[in-house]
Amino acid sequence: MMLPIKLGIGSPIGTGKQWISWISLEDLSNLFITAIENNKIKGVYNAVSPNPVTNEQLTKAIGTKLCRPIFLPNLPSLVLKLVLGESSFLVLSSAKVNPNKLQKIGYNFRDVIINDALN
């Protein structure tokens, strides 16, 4: 997403309303350390921030961080489907994942706001 935004041609993809679950590198690293140190952690956990964002919100946040305006209209889904074929579902799908199990064990996220994570 960063290259088109750096070039001044970034825009939300499809409707822009697709949910994107994210996690900062620091939180992910701390989560791995927590999992190694805490033998009570077993099974599968969603390594995601408690605050997912939409594609449009993420695009605008990256644009703000890079000091690049996001002014182009959304890139139509049809264009992506023509260019990427069946792989287009990877960028057009939505995943609003929550870290409930992490929160239940008391894991404290450092970055819960996308702008903080981008800093």
Side-chain angles (χ1 to χ4, degrees), residues 2 5 14-15 18 29 31 36 40 44 52 58 61 64 68 84 96 103 108 111-112 117:
M2 287 179 54
I5 293 171
T15 65
Q18 312 89 297
S29 300
L31 181 55
I36 290 168
K40 292 179 183 176
V44 178
L58 180 58
T64 298
R68 297 287 193 273
L84 299 175
K96 191 175 185 181
Q103 291 172 316
N108 292 314
D111 298 310
V112 294

Side-chain angles (χ1 to χ4, degrees), residues 80-97:
L80 287 168
K81 289 177 183 176
L82 290 172
V83 173
L84 299 175
E86 291 180 18
S87 300
S88 64
F89 82 93
L90 294 171
V91 292
L92 293 172
S93 61
S94 186
K96 191 175 185 181
V97 180

